Amino acid sequence: MRNLAPPSGQQEGTGPPSLLLLNARVLTMDRHHAGAQAVAICGNTIAAVGSSSEVAPLAGPATHKIDCGGKTLMPGFVDSHCHVLAQVASLQGIDCSPKAVSSIEALEGVVKRQAEITQAGHWIRGFGYDDLSLLENRHPTRWDLDHAAPNHPVRLDHRSGHASVLNSQALDLAGINETTPDPVEGVIHRDGHTGQPSGLLFEMSGYLRQRLGASRDQAAFQDSVHHLNNTLLGYGITSVQDAGPDNGLDRWRTFQELQSSGPLQCRVTMFAGASRLNEFQSAGLSWGSGGEQLRLGHAKIMLTLTTGALEPSLAALGVMVDNAHRSGFPVAIHAIEQEAIEAAVRVLNDATPLSKPASETSVQPIDRIEHCAECPPQLMAELAKSGCMVVTQPGFIFWNGDNYLERVNASMLPDLYPVGALAKFGIPLAFGSDAPVIDANPWPAIFAAVTRRTSGGRFLPPDDSQRRTITVAEALRMYTSDGANAEGAGHRKGTIQPGKLADLVLLDTDPINAEPDQLREIRAMLTIVGGRVVWERGS
C-alpha cells in the first residue's frame, strides 16, 4: 500500500480518511504502479492506494465508504483545450448545428421563430452553423438574416469558432460598413458586385467583443454555467483549460466569481491572451498564479492563414514569444495548417529561453502548439526537436471525419490529427475537445485516437497501411496525466497517487479490456473533485 507523502508546503490530512473507495479496478495512470483495488482520501487529497484489504482498515467512525462493485476508477479527465464561456454562451442561443438545420431556409426558420418571442431590438444569437453541411453549401448572409429578423440584431457563430455572420442591424451596432477596413487579424467578407459587407466575418470575435461588449442576462448566464458544469462532470471531466486568445483580467474575475458562487466546480486553468500579459503582471499575476481551483496558464497566440498570409508574421510571432518567455509565460500557439505549424516550430526553436521558476518546487513550464491538425511526417522531426508539447483534438476525426473523407485531398488524410505518428516521434501529447466546436465528451475522441474511425464508422484514411493509432492506455494518459503536465500541474493531479488531488471518475465499463466499438459508449457513474462526490448518474 502506498501512503500519503505530502509535497512540501502541503498540509497533511489528520485523522482517518474522509472517504474510502473500495472494490474497484483502479487505473492509476501512474507508470510505476499501474493498478490497485482501493483508494483512501483525506480531505481533498489521496491518502493511500492499494488493495481493498489494505485500505479498508484505515476507516474511522465518520469515514464514508463507497463499494465500487468492481467497476473501473481512474483520474478525472483533463480537457486541455476548450472554451468554457463560449460553451456557456452556446447554451443560451439558438442551436444552428447540422443536426438542427440543414439549409439556409431552415436556418432562417429557426431565427424567425426566435424573433417572434424576443423583444424588438434585443439580440438573437445562434451557434454551430456549418456552411459545408447546408444544402446551399454556403455561409448565410446579412440579407438572409434580415429576412428572418428585420427588427433584431442577429449574430450566428460558425461551428469552428473562427467565423460569424451578422445581419444589417448587428453590423450597424458594430460600426461595420463599406468603408470599414479589414482588421489586421481578420477579414470582412464583401459582396463582389457592390462592395458591401455580406455580414460574414472571419477571425473577428475579439473585434466584435470590443465594439459590442457583453450583453448577458446574469440569471440565465448562471443557469447555463450550472448546466455546463453538470455536463462536464457527467463526462468525468474534472479540469479544463480555457484557451481563449483574448482572455484578460475581466475573464479571470468572471471565473473567480463563478467558482466562489458555486455553479462551476470543475478546476479551470485559464490561458492569458498574449496581448494582455501586462494586465496580469500589473495585478501581480504570473504563469501558475492562483490556486487549485483557478490557475493562470499559458500565453495564447493565434497564428492563422485567414487573410492569405501568416498572421502574425514570422518576425512578429518571434517578438510575441520572446516577450512571453521574458515575462515567465510559456506560450500556446494556435496552429492548424502545415504552414502555421512550420512557422511556430521555427520560432520556438529560435526563441529566448523561458525564465526558470523562482521556487525550487515550481514546475518548469513547456511551450505548446494547439491543434496541429495538418502535420506530415517531414515536419515531425523538427517538431520533436523544438521540445514543445502538442495539444490536439482527435475528436475531430470522429465528428468531422466523414466530411474530411469527402472534401479533403486523399494524400492529406493520414496527416490530419495524426496522434499515432506524433506519439511514435516521441512528441509529448495531450488531448482537448475545443468545445463548443465539438462535444466535450472524451470517449468519442479516445475511440477515434485508438481506431481512426469516424462517427459513420469509416476509417481515416481508408488505406490501413497509412493508419497510425495509439493504445487505449496511451489515449487515457493523454486525457489525464499528460493533460495535467500540459498545464504544469502534473505534480498535483492527473494520476491516482498519494499526495495528489482526489479528482476521480468511476466508469461503467473497463476501457482497457473493452472492445473498440464500446469505447465511444462508455459513461461515468460517479465523479469526485477534491475528495467530494460532485456528480452521480441518476441523481
Side-chain angles (χ1 to χ4, degrees):
M1 179 170 64
R2 300 183 295 285
N3 291 312
L4 175 61
S8 175
Q10 178 191 319
Q11 270 195 329
E12 183 172 350
T14 56
S18 48
L19 176 63
L20 295 185
L21 297 156
L22 304 169
N23 188 25
R25 170 172 160 75
V26 182
L27 302 179
T28 64
M29 298 296 121
D30 174 5
R31 294 175 188 271
H32 303 293
H33 300 282
Q37 294 176 315
V39 176
I41 296 168
C42 284
N44 71 346
T45 306
I46 296 169
V49 182
S51 68
S52 291
S53 61
E54 291 173 319
V55 171
L58 300 176
T63 301
H64 179 53
K65 301 176 187 176
I66 296 176
D67 185 337
C68 297
K71 295 192 180 302
T72 299
L73 186 72
M74 62 173 282
F77 288 110
V78 179
D79 188 329
S80 296
H81 185 114
C82 64
H83 302 273
V84 176
L85 298 183
Q87 292 181 76
V88 173
S90 69
L91 294 172
Q92 297 177 273
I94 309 167
D95 182 5
C96 300
S97 65
K99 68 175 185 252
V101 295
S102 57
S103 66
I104 300 290
E105 182 181 1
L107 197 57
E108 287 185 25
V110 296
V111 172
K112 184 176 181 180
R113 285 192 291 275
Q114 186 63 33
E116 291 169 352
I117 59 172
T118 302
Q119 185 177 340
H122 286 226
W123 277 90
I124 293 173
R125 292 288 303 272
F127 297 87
Y129 87 86
D130 179 8
D131 55 305
L132 298 178
S133 297
L134 295 173
L135 181 64
E136 297 81 358
N137 202 31
R138 67 170 174 85
H139 294 273
T141 67
R142 66 189 292 184
W143 300 289
D144 296 322
L145 300 183
D146 286 347
H147 181 254
N151 300 315
H152 300 77
V154 181
R155 173 178 170 178
L156 306 184
D157 287 343
H158 193 267
R159 69 181 302 182
S160 67
H162 297 289
S164 300
V165 182
L166 274 61
N167 74 344
S168 296
Q169 221 182 103
L171 288 169
D172 288 343
L173 290 171
I176 298 173
N177 56 43
E178 65 273 14
T179 65
T180 305
D182 287 355
V184 173
E185 72 281 2
V187 173
I188 300 171
H189 183 265
R190 303 171 196 273
D191 181 88
H193 300 293
T194 66
Q196 289 281 337
S198 69
L200 178 60
L201 311 173
F202 293 100
E203 304 291 1
M204 288 180 60
S205 293
Y207 180 101
L208 293 175
R209 192 176 300 112
Q210 289 175 9
R211 282 152 184 79
L212 299 173
S215 55
R216 65 169 66 125
D217 178 310
Q218 193 59 28
F221 176 71
Q222 291 269 337
D223 285 345
S224 294
V225 173
H226 181 74
H227 178 80
L228 174 62
N229 180 69
N230 281 341
T231 298
L232 296 174
L233 295 175
Y235 288 152
I237 297 169
T238 56
S239 292
V240 295
Q241 297 168 30
D242 186 273
D246 301 312
N247 284 346
L249 268 179
D250 53 342
R251 292 271 181 89
W252 177 260
R253 291 176 182 131
T254 296
F255 280 120
Q256 284 180 319
E257 291 166 7
L258 291 174
Q259 291 186 326
S260 63
S261 60
L264 187 59
Q265 295 165 294
C266 287
R267 303 186 195 278
V268 176
T269 292
M270 190 193 86
F271 288 9
S275 63
R276 304 184 72 173
L277 295 185
N278 287 340
E279 290 179 31
F280 294 102
Q281 291 177 302
S282 297
L285 297 168
S286 58
W287 181 79
S289 289
E292 308 284 17
Q293 203 63 22
L294 176 63
R295 187 174 180 277
L296 190 58
H298 287 53
K300 176 69 180 291
I301 299 173
M302 294 292 292
L303 182 60
T304 70
L305 289 165
T306 303
T307 63
L310 276 176
E311 175 53 43
S313 67
L314 199 64
L317 177 64
V319 170
M320 294 174 77
V321 171
D322 286 347
N323 285 343
H325 281 188
R326 289 191 188 100
S327 300
F329 282 85
V331 295
I333 303 176
H334 166 106
I336 290 178
E337 306 88 352
Q338 179 180 341
E339 296 92 329
I341 299 164
E342 288 171 346
V345 169
R346 182 174 169 186
V347 165
L348 290 176
N349 278 331
D350 296 335
T352 299
L354 264 162
S355 301
K356 289 197 174 183
S359 167
E360 290 183 4
T361 59
S362 296
V363 175
Q364 182 64 38
I366 183 170
D367 292 317
R368 300 167 37 158
I369 293 179
E370 309 296 304
H371 305 300
C372 206
E374 300 173 5
C375 193
Q378 62 268 25
L379 180 52
M380 291 184 191
E382 289 301 307
L383 190 53
K385 197 193 310 181
S386 74
C388 74
M389 189 170 208
V390 168
V391 177
T392 191
Q393 296 78 32
F396 281 108
I397 296 293
F398 181 84
W399 294 109
N400 294 351
D402 291 309
N403 267 340
Y404 298 156
L405 284 163
E406 299 300 329
R407 301 175 185 277
V408 174
N409 187 297
S411 64
M412 289 183 61
L413 294 176
D415 305 330
L416 294 181
Y417 299 98
V419 295
L422 289 166
K424 187 174 181 182
F425 266 87
I427 296 164
L429 290 172
F431 289 165
S433 65
D434 206 20
V437 181
I438 58 174
D439 191 350
N441 186 352
W443 291 108
I446 291 168
F447 168 80
V450 170
T451 65
R452 293 287 291 186
R453 281 170 61 195
T454 71
S455 60
R458 301 160 74 187
F459 286 101
L460 191 153
D463 181 356
D464 61 1
S465 67
Q466 296 179 297
R467 235 180 277 138
R468 292 192 187 278
T469 61
I470 59 176
T471 67
V472 173
E474 287 173 317
L476 293 176
R477 275 195 288 271
M478 290 168 190
Y479 244 127
T480 53
S481 57
D482 294 334
N485 291 333
E487 66 177 81
H491 63 300
R492 289 296 289 134
K493 61 185 179 183
T495 59
I496 300 179
Q497 291 175 274
K500 295 284 186 80
L501 291 169
D503 297 350
L504 311 166
V505 57
L506 187 69
L507 306 174
D508 67 355
T509 303
D510 173 8
I512 299 296
N513 294 308
E515 294 297 324
D517 281 338
Q518 288 180 283
L519 291 172
R520 57 196 281 187
E521 304 298 337
I522 292 177
R523 297 291 180 265
M525 303 298 293
L526 189 79
T527 303
I528 295 170
V529 177
R532 293 177 55 240
V533 175
V534 291
W535 183 91
E536 190 169 359
R537 182 162 298 281
S539 67

